[in-house]
DNA sequence: CTGAAAGCGCTAACAG
DNA sequence: CTGTTAGCGCTTTCAG
């Protein structure tokens, strides 16, 4: 067992309180007493017991972060952003993986709440409003910020991106670049996926292009799924000459499928993704994408959460939308 | 404030202990009493206060995980592996980013120790044996497992990969494939980097090929660094016809540099990386690499740590080396 | 400026 | 089977 305050106290023949105060540089401790205490503490290798402190102060300096998939580099970036903002303040981030599963998400939230995390940042796998996980958070009045995915119709702090605008931006770009038959590999039935699909449709509309249902195929999150989805699209006639993909991994998978059958990107089919994951410009064909500042999303979420933690009065719910930005690379360049 | 055991107890007119035991299904509580308690607990939305429990049980079910860079997908995979192994046991992972900086690493370890993490998994940025971070861990007798990077000469539990063998495997492959002038973009002065360099040299030796110092250039970890390093190599005459890169991101950056000047991969210069990050086969030219089962490294580290936690007697230090495996893709294929 | 008392929410050890 | 007594290591009053 490591040294406790008590040890320092008896060692120095002062009271426990003196030590406690000295260590936190409480104002009413004499300079020399403080110096003594601090030195002895160092000698004994004393570190405050955060658990004991938390029990009385009612704060743990722990922030829970629930994500559907850490391997997806979007979330890895969000985590990094959150950590970057929080670490200087001595907060720590507890990560929990929900594996895109609602039940496991609720379980994780429950555990994080039991641990008395000061707040929670949640990228929910929950499609509908107020799933179990949200219920638990509300019940315990644990401050939380939603990230990326916002369950429909839920009033809460939120940081994300304008998904519909992503769809519009990407699709319009393909159109302006000259594509006439634009397909979409869509994401799952969560707001992120739905929003991007909506944007895709409205861009087509704006440009008076007809919407062909068979040009929309479901691809989920991963490159493997994108690959499969693209193979379906490749069976269609006439072949699409442009594809807007739900996200970058999906787009990477799609490109793989296209190149594999001997077609060219962008010559035969232009491709655009979304997310601007860090390796996008290292892909077979550097990938055009919509940047959504993943790491900034994390930082902003942390910022919002900090505001919740530092003000008693729960202000109005705030939503921050990071502005998406078109990034043109080779996969959609030139004719 | 949420419900406490005491609330349930007075509510039901039983003692606090009965509640405590009932909730943990301690054997000597009557079935019906237990049912009552459990039901009331659910009604009140009771969740045990883990902090209070930890204070007395002396365990937090928290495992600290210190990595140099979360964005690097190798570490993201390690984190995932660790979490995967630990979550079913209700452990949580606290992540801490050291940003490849020794001072910040020590600070993080110190905080994690103060939080009373049951154990710590550390991918150290420390080049020399027993840096500050290790000292703190030893001082507090916090069980720990080193991952990926092992400070020289340090006796400790360790999970990693045979770096020298990676170097041999990769370099030999290039040689057998017909390369005569093999360069190496090396990593930093940590065991991982040094080991791979050593492997590179001994493979050259085995094949009676001369070692040219100017063919070894330093690239650090990132694709940006790999890009820069490759540009240096491209100024050399004669041009290398093969490059073994410290890791996949570096290799991806190197390929970018090569393609940019109009040379072909592997036609003019073959490239091989290490790490088999998940997007390797989606790159411009699908990247040959040495697989090191990143996620398995995480799982194994978690496994080792669990063994430390579950057995009082600290057994002998164990080192697990994941066997590296050559993966040939297009970047080093054919002549 | 320093210290004594009380308690955060829970559990271990033992007594009824 | 149930309850009582202590106490985990620290901080927050409030009195010296």
């Amino acid at each position: 067992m490591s040294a406790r305050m008590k040890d320092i106290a008896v060692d120095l023949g002062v009271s426990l309180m003196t030590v406690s105060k000295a260590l936190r540089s409480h104002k009413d401790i004499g300079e020399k007493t403080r110096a003594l205490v601090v030195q002895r503490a160092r000698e004994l290798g004393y570190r405050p017991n955060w658990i004991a402190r938390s029990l009385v102060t009612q704060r743990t300096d722990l922030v829970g972060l629930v994500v559907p998939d850490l391997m997806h580099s979007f979330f890895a970036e969000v985590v990094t952003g959150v950590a970057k903002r929080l670490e200087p303040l001595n907060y720590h981030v507890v990560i929990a993986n929900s594996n895109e599963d609602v039940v496991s998400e609720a379980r994780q939230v429950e555990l994080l709440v039991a641990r008395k995390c000061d707040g929670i940042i949640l990228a929910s796998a929950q499609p509908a409003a107020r799933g179990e996980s949200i219920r638990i958070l509300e019940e315990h009045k644990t401050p939380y910020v939603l990230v990326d995915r916002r369950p429909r119709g839920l009033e809460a702090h939120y940081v994300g991106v304008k998904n519909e605008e992503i769809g519009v931006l990407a699709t319009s770009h393909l159109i302006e670049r000259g594509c006439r038959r634009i397909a979409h590999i869509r994401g799952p039935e969560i707001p992120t996926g739905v929003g991007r699909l909506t944007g895709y449709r409205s861009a087509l509309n704006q440009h008076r292009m007809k919407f062909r249902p068979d040009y929309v195929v479901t691809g989920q999150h991963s490159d493997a799924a994108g690959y499969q989805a693209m193979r379906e699209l490749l069976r269609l006639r006439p072949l699409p000459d442009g594809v807007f993909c739900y996200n970058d991994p999906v787009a990477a998978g799609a490109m793989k499928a296209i190149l594999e059958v001997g077609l060219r990107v962008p010559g035969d089919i232009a491709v655009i993704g979304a997310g601007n994951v860090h390796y996008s410009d290292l892909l077979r064909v550097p990938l055009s994408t919509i940047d959504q500042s993943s790491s900034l999303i994390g930082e902003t979420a942390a910022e919002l959460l900090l505001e919740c933690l530092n003000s008693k009065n729960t202000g109005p719910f705030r939503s921050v939308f990071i502005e998406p930005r078109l990034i043109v690379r080779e996969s959609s360049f030139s004719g």
Side-chain angles (χ1 to χ4, degrees), chain A:
Chain A
M1 213 65 269
S2 36
R4 299 156 306 166
M5 284 192 176
K6 195 177 175 184
D7 301 324
I8 301 179
V10 299
D11 228 63
L12 254 48
V14 304
S15 102
L16 203 163
M17 270 326 299
T18 311
V19 177
S20 170
K21 285 180 179 164
L23 252 23
R24 282 173 299 151
S25 354
H26 194 296
K27 53 186 63 170
D28 52 43
I29 290 292
E31 187 44 54
K32 49 179 175 278
T33 326
R34 218 194 56 126
L36 268 177
V37 171
V38 169
Q39 191 202 327
R40 197 85 194 88
R42 196 187 316 279
E43 288 168 15
L44 293 178
Y46 171 81
R47 326 269 165 190
N49 183 328
W50 219 271
I51 298 292
R53 169 181 294 187
S54 292
L55 189 56
V56 32
T57 59
Q58 309 276 30
R59 53 177 292 185
T60 53
D61 300 301
L62 238 34
V63 167
L65 180 44
V66 186
V67 296
D69 176 12
L70 259 177
M71 308 274 276
H72 186 330
S73 86
F74 168 70
F75 291 112
E77 293 187 31
V78 170
V79 175
T80 307
V82 170
K84 180 175 165 193
R85 183 69 185 79
L86 256 25
E87 275 175 0
L89 304 175
N90 282 2
Y91 278 91
H92 265 143
V93 177
V94 182
I95 52 157
N97 212 320
S98 71
N99 295 308
E100 296 284 4
D101 170 48
V102 186
V103 176
S104 139
E105 173 181 310
R107 202 180 82 89
Q108 292 298 341
V109 168
E110 180 148 13
L111 287 172
L112 291 174
V113 164
R115 272 190 202 292
K116 302 291 169 197
C117 287
D118 293 343
I120 283 181
I121 296 176
L122 171 63
S124 182
Q126 189 79 46
R130 26 193 67 259
E132 177 69 1
S133 45
I134 301 292
R135 227 212 58 238
I136 297 173
L137 288 169
E138 297 283 357
E139 187 172 296
H140 282 261
K141 307 202 197 322
T142 303
Y144 66 100
V145 173
L146 264 22
V147 141
D148 188 46
R149 332 270 192 85
R150 174 160 59 176
R152 273 187 289 278
L154 180 60
E155 278 295 315
H157 294 293
Y158 171 78
V159 181
V161 69
K162 295 174 177 162
N163 284 302
E164 202 169 323
E165 199 168 322
I166 287 184
V168 172
L169 226 51
T171 310
S172 303
H173 167 65
L174 291 178
I175 295 172
E176 282 151 19
R177 182 205 161 279
C179 296
R180 296 289 116 214
R181 300 179 304 280
I182 300 174
H184 176 41
I185 301 184
R186 58 157 299 178
E189 274 294 341
I190 53 176
T192 321
V194 176
R196 291 173 193 190
L197 171 60
T198 309
Y200 161 77
R201 297 192 60 159
S202 71
L204 289 182
N205 247 325
Q206 278 168 38
H207 291 263
R208 310 240 176 285
M209 292 177 61
K210 69 166 182 251
F211 167 72
R212 292 186 44 165
D214 58 332
Y215 270 16
V216 174
V217 19
T218 299
Q220 299 298 326
H221 309 275
S222 68
D223 50 83
Y227 176 82
Q228 282 307 328
M230 191 65 222
R231 289 183 63 90
E232 283 183 47
L233 286 176
L234 287 172
R235 282 200 288 272
L236 263 34
R237 290 298 175 277
L239 221 48
D241 58 1
V243 187
F244 159 45
C245 300
Y246 170 61
N247 66 18
D248 284 359
V250 166
M255 285 207 290
K256 181 176 167 167
I258 296 172
L259 297 172
E260 216 170 76
V261 299
L263 295 173
R264 289 159 310 149
V265 176
D268 298 303
I269 304 179
V271 176
I272 186 166
N276 194 19
V277 300
H278 64 89
Y279 55 87
S280 310
D281 80 331
L282 301 169
L283 296 177
R284 285 202 199 187
V285 179
L287 180 64
S288 293
T289 187
I290 308 295
D291 183 81
Q292 56 183 39
S293 313
S294 322
S295 153
L296 181 58
I297 290 181
E299 287 177 59
T300 311
E303 186 62 40
L304 235 55
L305 190 59
L306 283 173
E307 284 174 25
C308 295
L309 299 182
N310 296 330
S311 73
K312 285 291 77 127
N313 50 350
T314 54
F317 291 119
R318 290 174 52 192
S319 289
V320 179
F321 290 91
I322 306 293
E323 205 61 45
R325 206 162 40 90
L326 174 67
I327 299 199
V328 180
R329 297 206 186 90
E330 196 183 318
S331 75
S332 71
F333 205 63
S334 81

